[in-house]
Amino acid sequence: MSSSDAERNRVFWDQQADSYQATHREHIGRPEPRWGIWQLPERELQVLGDVAGKDVLELGCGAAQWSILLAAEGARCVGLDNSERQLDHARAAGAGFPLVHGSAESLPFPDGSFDLVFCDHGAMSFADPHLVVPEVARVLRSGGLLAFCLTSAFAWICWDDEADHTDAVLHADYFGLHRHVDPDGSVHFQLPVGEWIRLFRRNGLVVEDLIEPRPPEDATTTYGYDLAWARRWPLEQIWKARKP
Amino acid sequence: MTLPEHARRNRRAWTEFASGYAERAPIGWAREGITWGVWGVPDSDLHALPDVAGKDVIELGCGTAYQAAGLTRLGARVVGVDVTPAQLETARAMQERFGLEFPLLEASAEDVPLPDASFDVAVSEYGASIWCDPYRWIPEAARLLRPGGELVFLVNAPLAMLCAPFDEAPPGSELLRDYFGMFSFEWPEEDEAIEFHLGHGDLIRLLRANGFEVEALIEIQAPEGAQPSRHPAMPSPEWARRWPAEEIWRARKAG
């Protein structure tokens, strides 16, 4: 079962998968785990901790660049994606672990199946967090971690639609931030910081960290974002919440 | 008590401000129930406070102690702490006028001469929460609270601080300062007062490092029909309908 937004994003990603992977393959396909728009190394951000021997679910795995690297570190990975075409890329990349076609709004796993559920600009950006977070809380084991990276609320409100980039002006309202339909047809989600905390707490998760990564001066990206802006204001946020 | 430079500056500034706040103190003291921030949003709407009846509560940077008075009326045993004697003089005058007594203590909220684990709840509204160094006052609040105790404090939202021109004009819709590295903010024209504001991630890490679990961040939206604040540097109600000017954090000490 999935919502109409999940359907829209499925169509979008099935159409976009080939060109997305071709455009970003080298940037996001490097041989160590890295986060987000600027591909900041996990070894510096230290978000996930030791994954060896852990049951790990990636929400919106795309071509499974992340999970392939975590599997090599000894994690028992499962990659979930809403787009079958994205999963074709994961299979082509040699993902040797289960790849599941489905929306993160409704996870086809029993309660308490995972030690770590994570995504990097994945399902938490493309499915309604009000639906995804309860599902994650359900499939996490006690002591398990939810960690995800997405574009910040800051970037959302400073986005100039006409110019198609961020600037130093507050364009959009912060209150009510939730869902945005892009001109390309894809549907994106983000919440005010306080709403995230409320959502975690309501689902029994403890807020462990909010990392607002600042890219270094020489950071590069294939995603077209403005480095000068991202050096001044948080373009991305990485949340960590743990099930007690 | 040896005060650090920023606390001396702020005490000097608040000694200057005190007469203006003394004039308005009766309004806050006469108010029914607890409200928060410049828009006076009732706690019954925001649910920031735990039940305080029968609890030991400390207000950190109480000023004229209108919040402490409201908390006392709710049945809390309150101690008000402030670093500025002139503000405490007003608080004492209000206690007499309204017939409501509770202890008032002259001290910086960064260094409170009270024993560890003395309180169930620590509260601050535009007190220690913005006028003290968070890397000093939050550890001190953690020390003063009992295990399971709650810390509730109101600050200005980062967005409002980054848009504030700091020349008595209200924030516009342009970011004038960087988020990364945000910490101290100085008011050059206002007797060299100095405010402290952290970004969300830094504040969460600071709370966690001091044994707090983050329970809530309530980003306050100005209510419809809100009247402009008398503080010229506060955002307009129209601004604060769109973006948060104020936010309340609630954190619980583990245990």
Side-chain angles (χ1 to χ4, degrees), chain A residues 54-74:
Chain A
K54 292 191 175 162
D55 289 304
V56 176
L57 172 62
E58 182 174 6
L59 298 176
C61 64
Q65 288 92 346
W66 258 101
S67 284
I68 287 169
L69 294 171
L70 296 185
E73 293 178 17

Side-chain angles (χ1 to χ4, degrees), chain B residues 67-125:
Chain B
Q67 283 304 39
L71 292 161
T72 302
R73 288 193 194 100
L74 291 173
R77 289 183 297 275
V78 184
V79 177
V81 173
D82 204 280
V83 75
T84 306
Q87 288 279 84
L88 292 175
E89 268 175 48
T90 302
R92 285 192 196 94
M94 291 301 109
Q95 288 191 332
E96 201 162 314
R97 175 165 166 177
F98 286 85
L100 205 60
E101 295 283 328
F102 47 85
L104 293 165
L105 182 63
E106 184 192 323
S108 163
E110 299 174 4
D111 184 11
V112 179
L114 292 171
D116 298 1
S118 305
F119 296 93
D120 304 302
V121 181
V123 173
S124 186
E125 182 195 39

Side-chain angles (χ1 to χ4, degrees), chain B residues 6-252:
Chain B
H6 64 270
R8 285 204 302 277
R9 282 170 61 166
N10 284 340
R11 185 172 60 178
R12 194 161 60 227
W14 276 96
T15 303
E16 293 291 315
F17 303 155
S19 59
Y21 281 79
E23 270 174 43
R24 297 186 53 84
I27 299 169
W29 270 72
R31 195 180 292 136
E32 289 284 322
I34 301 288
T35 68
W36 291 101
V38 299
W39 319 112
V41 184
D43 189 67
S44 53
D45 291 349
L46 298 175
H47 307 291
L49 282 175
D51 182 8
V52 297
K55 303 266 183 74
D56 292 306
V57 178
I58 186 165
E59 186 180 5
L60 298 169
C62 65
T64 63
Y66 61 92
Q67 283 304 39
L71 292 161
T72 302
R73 288 193 194 100
L74 291 173
R77 289 183 297 275
V78 184
V79 177
V81 173
D82 204 280
V83 75
T84 306
Q87 288 279 84
L88 292 175
E89 268 175 48
T90 302
R92 285 192 196 94
M94 291 301 109
Q95 288 191 332
E96 201 162 314
R97 175 165 166 177
F98 286 85
L100 205 60
E101 295 283 328
F102 47 85
L104 293 165
L105 182 63
E106 184 192 323
S108 163
E110 299 174 4
D111 184 11
V112 179
L114 292 171
D116 298 1
S118 305
F119 296 93
D120 304 302
V121 181
V123 173
S124 186
E125 182 195 39
Y126 286 121
S129 57
I130 71 164
W131 299 104
C132 288
D133 179 342
Y135 291 95
R136 297 173 186 241
W137 84 264
I138 287 178
E140 188 65 348
R143 183 185 70 76
L144 291 164
L145 283 170
R146 298 181 179 125
E150 299 212 53
L151 173 62
V152 182
F153 61 98
L154 180 142
V155 296
N156 292 112
L159 265 185
M161 296 313 300
L162 300 185
C163 291
F166 279 78
D167 60 1
E168 291 284 307
S173 60
E174 191 178 348
L175 294 165
L176 303 175
R177 291 168 178 242
D178 293 4
Y179 181 88
F180 291 113
M182 66 180 282
F183 176 60
S184 64
F185 295 74
E186 303 195 23
W187 293 89
E189 305 303 318
E190 283 196 38
D191 303 306
E192 302 179 78
I194 177 165
E195 295 184 27
F196 297 92
H197 299 274
L198 291 180
H200 288 148
D202 284 345
L203 189 47
I204 288 171
R205 270 185 295 283
L206 177 58
L207 289 167
R208 300 270 309 158
N210 284 283
F212 287 106
E213 286 191 357
V214 177
E215 292 290 336
L217 165 62
I218 302 162
E219 297 168 305
I220 300 177
Q221 184 175 29
E224 275 185 60
Q227 295 302 303
S229 166
R230 66 194 178 85
H231 298 280
M234 276 301 288
S236 68
E238 293 73 30
W239 193 102
R241 291 282 301 157
R242 304 186 64 192
W243 304 293
E246 301 175 317
E247 61 189 29
I248 301 173
W249 289 86
R250 196 172 77 228
R252 182 190 301 272

